[in-house]
């Protein structure tokens, strides 16, 4: 991060002082009008993305500078230690990380950081933490209002009671009011102290959130990566502070109430006007769930692989015998499974493509998903019946038949919850071993649709309008992809560990991959690769293999790198 951004870096090296008008994050230099033109025409630098100097000034330069420099040795970070999840300068490597094997040059791991799952998770964690501080601030402010209102009400009651007694009670009233004010001030002081701490955290989170979008838009990959690491640490500290606040006794809601003396009418026996007491009730604050810190670690393995870098290799063609294929699956052990719709059966092949076993059903077989915890598969019945079947892969026997409310098609697994496409309802969930259904996304007649799940997001294909849609866990539409030139009549869908989406276009005879944000698409396979109405596919994340099945006769197995 250069400190003299106002002066053209190239001219400065020539001892010429010219004002910079643009900034090149790649070169870390400002450029004047003349140098900008040379920079844009040079073969080495013409691909660099330059930004106006006015936009560069909006970046939090102090934050970017401190994020890139080792606070211990005051040197620029050069390496990243995967073992300790920490950037390292040259001296850090020799002094602290000499025995660490997973040291990688920072420049090699920051590619696509702004579109990575790790960046999105930190961005979400920052938003959640800020939202939680706002919730707590509002709760404490409400408690302050209640305390003041209660004081007013009690004071009014005291005045009303006092009108019924004589001057003998004047002194007692004065003592009680003093006690009331002291108590309220003391409790309010405690609340204000806690509120001050929370508002300080809120200010810090607001500052980081306001600048994060500029960092994402204009900072270099390296700058972004290191700043996000800094923000992650800051948010982690704030998160722990919030959790400690919620557990502290100061979070209990304080109320002041009046306890009248039963003998108030017996003037001679009165020794006090009453007493002020404080009730502490549990806080009703419900904060937004914050993920555990380890889930947010920005290890390089979480950086999304760009769809332009995906390569399919070692193609293996698999010949199949039977009717129409509506579902396919690769198990972690390499076995391949297919749903033969017309034949009412599931066929399993070994990893080399030879026949292993088959299971007959009493009805059609549409799609299936693997339940690893039980070593079973869940199979949907399609538009003929309203059942989910579970099959034990050890005994190769049907174990359960679960009746549902409508015809159902594509199915996937999210932790211990089955997620499936249900006709006339939409995307529905059912927790394993419970059987109760819950509609997550209401859709109008999503017939013959497929679904995939990744990182609390649902990916849904709709052959009627040739679309692929992404919904969040609450059922909100995040994006919709439509491009009939590459994907016509989308059917099977699967997702890799980076959030890249693989979709089978049945009428377009294509297999495409869509970026996690739904903005980019790339065709991986076409009719020239043997595709003829490709119906379904499945990506196995452990072995990184992609299984693609035509509607009839054959399937193809690829290694993905």
């Amino acid at each position: 991060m250069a400190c003299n951004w106002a002066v053209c870096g190239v001219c400065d090296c020539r001892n010429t002082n010219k004002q910079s008008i643009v900034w090149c994050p790649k070169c870390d230099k400002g450029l004047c009008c003349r140098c900008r033109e040379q920079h844009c025409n040079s073969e080495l630098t013409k691909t660099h993305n330059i930004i106006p100097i006015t936009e560069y000034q909006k970046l939090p330069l102090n934050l970017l500078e401190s994020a890139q420099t080792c606070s211990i040795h005051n040197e620029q970070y050069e390496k990243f230690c995967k073992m300790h999840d920490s950037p390292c300068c040259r001296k850090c490597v020799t002094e602290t990380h000499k025995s660490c094997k997973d040291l990688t040059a920072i420049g090699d791991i920051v590619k696509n950081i702004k579109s990575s799952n790790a960046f999105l998770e930190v961005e979400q964690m920052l938003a959640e933490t800020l939202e939680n501080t706002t919730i707590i601030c509002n709760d404490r402010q409400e408690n302050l209002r209640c305390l003041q209102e209660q004081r007013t009400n009690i004071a009014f009651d005291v005045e009303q009671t006092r009108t019924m007694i004589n001057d003998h009670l004047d002194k007692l009233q004065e003592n009680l009011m003093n006690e009331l004010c002291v108590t309220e001030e003391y409790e309010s002081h405690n609340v204000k102290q806690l509120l001050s701490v929370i508002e300080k955290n809120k200010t810090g989170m607001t500052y980081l959130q306001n600048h994060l979008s500029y960092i994402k838009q204009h900072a270099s990959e390296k700058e972004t990566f290191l700043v996000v690491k800094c923000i992650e640490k800051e948010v982690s500290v704030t998160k722990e502070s919030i959790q400690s606040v919620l557990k502290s006794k100061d979070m209990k809601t304080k109320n002041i109430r009046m306890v009248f003396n039963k003998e108030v009418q017996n003037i001679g026996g009165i020794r006090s006007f009453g007493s002020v007491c404080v009730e502490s009730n549990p806080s009703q604050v419900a904060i937004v769930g914050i993920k555990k810190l380890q889930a947010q670690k920005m290890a390089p393995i979480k950086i999304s692989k760009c769809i332009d870098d995906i390569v399919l290799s070692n193609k293996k063609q698999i010949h199949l015998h039977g009717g129409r294929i509506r579902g396919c699956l690769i198990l972690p052990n390499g076995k391949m499974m297919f749903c033969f719709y017309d034949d009412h059966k599931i066929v399993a092949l070994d990893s080399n493509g030879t026949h292993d076993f088959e299971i007959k059903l009493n009805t059609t077989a549409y799609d299936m998903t693997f339940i690893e915890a039980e070593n079973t598969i869940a199979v949907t019945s399609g538009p003929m019946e309203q059942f989910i079947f579970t099959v034990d892969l050890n005994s190769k026997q049907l174990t359960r038949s679960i009746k549902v409310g409508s015809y159902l098609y594509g199915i996937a697994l999210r932790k211990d919850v089955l997620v499936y496409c249900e006709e006339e309802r939409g995307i529905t969930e059912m927790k394993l071993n419970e059987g109760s259904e819950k509609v997550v996304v209401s859709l109008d007649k999503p017939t013959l649709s497929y679904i995939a799940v990744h990182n609390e997001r649902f990916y849904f294909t709709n052959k009627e309008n040739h679309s692929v849609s992404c919904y969040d866990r609450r059922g909100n539409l995040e994006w919709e992809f439509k491009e009939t030139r590459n994907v016509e009549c989308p059917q099977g869908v699967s997702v890799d560990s980076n959030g890249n989406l693989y979709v089978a276009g049945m009428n377009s005879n294509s297999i495409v991959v869509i970026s996690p944000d739904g903005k980019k698409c790339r065709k991986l396979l076409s009719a020239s690769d043997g595709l003829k109405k490709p119906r379904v596919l499945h990506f196995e994340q452990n072995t990184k293999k992609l299984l693609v099945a035509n509607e009839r006769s054959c399937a193809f197995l690829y290694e993905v790198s």
Side-chain angles (χ1 to χ4, degrees), residues 371-439:
I371 306 172
E372 186 172 8
E374 301 178 357
N375 198 33
T376 62
I377 57 171
V379 186
T380 58
S381 56
M384 300 300 293
E385 296 285 350
Q386 299 175 358
F387 284 96
I388 297 175
F389 303 99
T390 59
V391 177
D392 189 298
L393 294 179
N394 295 320
S395 65
K396 301 178 180 57
Q397 297 293 321
L398 185 69
T399 56
R400 281 175 294 184
S401 297
I402 306 171
K403 178 74 171 177
V404 295
S406 184
Y407 300 126
L408 64 168
Y409 305 101
I411 189 169
L413 185 72
R414 181 184 65 82
K415 297 179 181 177
D416 63 342
V417 177
L418 292 175
V419 184
Y420 45 89
C421 306
E422 197 167 5
E423 187 173 330
E424 297 180 352
R425 298 181 72 180
I427 299 175
T428 307
E429 286 187 345
M430 176 189 293
K431 194 164 186 179
L432 288 172
N433 302 320
E434 288 189 5
S436 59
E437 291 186 290
K438 173 187 174 184
V439 177

Side-chain angles (χ1 to χ4, degrees), residues 230-381:
C230 268
I231 292 177
E232 179 187 13
K233 293 177 182 178
E234 291 291 329
V235 174
S236 176
V237 171
T238 304
K239 185 197 75 169
E240 293 175 358
S241 174
I242 290 174
Q243 296 293 350
S244 64
V245 164
L246 288 172
K247 294 177 182 179
S248 69
K249 64 179 182 180
D250 291 332
M251 269 303 295
K252 292 186 176 181
T253 300
K254 303 298 179 67
N255 297 300
I256 305 173
R257 65 184 180 87
M258 177 66 185
V259 179
F260 285 101
N261 193 325
K262 293 181 179 180
E263 300 178 352
V264 69
Q265 292 181 342
N266 186 359
I267 298 175
I270 292 177
R271 294 294 178 266
S272 67
F273 203 86
S275 62
V276 177
C277 63
V278 177
E279 292 180 344
S280 294
N281 298 320
S283 172
Q284 299 301 312
V285 171
I287 65 172
V288 177
I290 302 178
K291 297 181 180 179
K292 293 182 179 179
L293 179 60
Q294 61 263 31
Q296 308 297 334
K297 285 188 175 181
M298 291 187 57
I301 58 173
K302 290 195 173 184
I303 298 177
S304 297
K305 185 179 184 67
C306 178
I307 63 173
D308 296 328
D309 300 330
I310 293 174
V311 177
L312 303 184
S313 60
N314 294 333
K315 171 184 175 182
K316 178 186 293 184
Q317 185 167 343
I318 303 157
H319 296 285
L320 301 168
H321 302 285
R324 289 177 292 177
I325 301 167
R326 289 290 176 86
C328 70
L329 186 67
I330 312 176
L331 300 181
N333 61 10
K335 288 186 184 295
M336 295 169 283
M337 307 194 73
F338 299 88
C339 288
F340 283 86
Y341 181 77
D342 301 310
D343 299 336
H344 298 191
K345 67 180 181 180
I346 299 166
V347 174
L349 306 181
D350 286 327
S351 57
N352 59 8
T354 60
H355 185 276
D356 185 15
F357 63 89
E358 63 181 56
I359 300 170
K360 293 290 290 185
L361 300 176
N362 295 326
T363 183
T364 52
Y366 193 88
D367 193 23
M368 58 185 164
T369 189
F370 179 53
I371 306 172
E372 186 172 8
E374 301 178 357
N375 198 33
T376 62
I377 57 171
V379 186
T380 58
S381 56

Side-chain angles (χ1 to χ4, degrees), residues 504-522:
M506 192 169 75
N507 290 353
S508 54
N509 289 322
S510 62
I511 300 297
V512 302
V513 59
I514 302 173
S515 60
D517 58 6
K519 295 181 179 179
K520 294 180 63 179
C521 171
R522 177 184 163 217

